[in-house]
Amino acid sequence: MTEDPRTLSSGAHRKIDGGRSGPRVPRMPLSELVTAIETVSILGDVNGVIVSGVSFDSRHVMPGDIFCAIAGEHFDGHHFINDAVARGAVAVVVERYVPLPIVQLRVHPGSMRVQMAKLANRFYGNPSARLPMVGITGTNGKTTTSFMLASIARAADRSPFVIGTLSGYRTTPESPVIQNSLYQALEDSDDIAIMEVSSHALDQHRVDEIVFDIGIFTNLTQDHLDYHHTMDAYYMTKARLFEIARCRIGVVNIDDPWGARLTRDSQIVVETYSIEDAVDLEMAAQGSNFVLDGIPIKLGVAGKHNVYNALAAAKAGKILGYSPNSIQLGLESFRGVSGRLERLEEGQSFGVQVDFANTQVAL
């Protein structure tokens, strides 16, 4: 994936390594770390073992790592423990013991990702508790909404950090990558984290141990049915973001029928947005003009879908306490995300737009 200087120049987005938990900064005794997870039994002595990273891909293990052997759909991490040990792993988390002379923490079958999230959260010191956290879910609009909100945050003199489609090989990476990224964001003095949260991430416990201050629901259209099988199951997975233990306030697109259902189903406080909030809406090829809460907005990206994205970002910005001026400036200074209805201007006498879409509706 090519990094686009326009979307990276803000500093909100940094490339995330998909294979391990990132730069090795903390160090923690295994005897302390093991108290974070629920083990069935332990093979070997945890005392005196120092952990300096959390890995789940044997190809990216570094000396001092603890390796989590995930039994996935296509590969079983237990088959790669030899490789992890050869690369310097000091302990492994397993669902079944392997005949190797290394400390092994055995967890219940099927619970590896749950325990890995707990492990990573403890290792990195629960970084999400020290940052305002915004999670964005929905079939379409997650990336653009996240960058619009980041633009608003910068207009409010904040330093946002964005995790999402442009960060790495997955929209929402595995829990050790997320926890390390949040830890690094704090080290870099970022003061708000904005994360795209996919349905796969919710179902596979990648965002476990994180409580989002705000959860945004953009829409739900047909996608990922090879995984979820039915739209109802797809919706129920997305709705997990808005559970009491996971999110404090919801921001929901009430014009979407699934969003309307979510407002009825949710047990947390929900604030809604609708296209009707964009008063005196005028749309053109270069962008849209509308009035929001009495503030005129000149949006420099085209399409009704981007008006919806702007409404979601503005609502979240308001909840975060950003001023109307910051919301206006942030939205009006936003010039789009690479490959999302991106206008190319090279002095040609005709218009060119580059657009990328994962779904028919997005296209």
Side-chain angles (χ1 to χ4, degrees), residues 34-51:
V34 71
T35 63
I37 65 174
E38 301 167 11
T39 58
V40 175
S41 56
I42 299 175
L43 182 64
D45 187 2
V46 300
N47 293 306
V49 178
I50 303 298
V51 175

Side-chain angles (χ1 to χ4, degrees), residues 70-216:
I70 300 174
E73 182 180 357
H74 302 293
F75 299 100
D76 186 346
H78 293 78
H79 297 158
F80 301 95
I81 291 176
N82 269 316
D83 295 340
V85 172
R87 291 178 179 272
V90 294
V92 295
V93 184
V94 298
E95 294 182 355
R96 61 182 186 274
Y97 287 135
V98 295
L100 286 174
I102 188 171
V103 177
Q104 300 180 48
L105 314 179
R106 187 163 71 92
V107 300
H108 289 283
S111 73
M112 179 61 70
R113 279 194 166 97
V114 173
Q115 305 307 327
M116 184 170 69
K118 293 179 178 180
L119 195 75
N121 184 58
R122 172 68 65 85
F123 182 74
Y124 289 106
N126 193 16
S128 64
R130 293 176 280 156
L131 277 170
M133 296 291 304
V134 179
I136 305 173
T137 198
T139 306
N140 302 306
K142 296 187 295 297
T143 300
T144 300
T145 301
S146 67
F147 277 90
M148 282 183 171
L149 182 54
S151 182
I152 292 171
R154 286 192 298 275
D157 294 323
R158 302 297 195 274
S159 178
F161 175 65
V162 177
I163 298 176
T165 301
L166 301 185
S167 303
Y169 77 120
R170 280 179 173 168
T171 297
T172 314
E174 294 284 358
S175 56
V177 178
I178 293 174
Q179 296 292 345
N180 174 262
S181 299
L182 295 175
Y183 177 91
Q184 295 297 329
L186 286 167
E187 291 292 299
D188 292 340
S189 299
D190 293 329
D191 50 20
I192 179 173
I194 304 165
M195 184 189 308
E196 296 182 51
V197 182
S198 69
S199 59
H200 289 70
L202 288 161
D203 192 55
Q204 296 175 6
H205 304 282
R206 299 180 204 165
V207 293
D208 281 14
E209 305 302 310
I210 295 174
V211 178
F212 292 93
D213 296 283
I214 299 173
I216 298 175

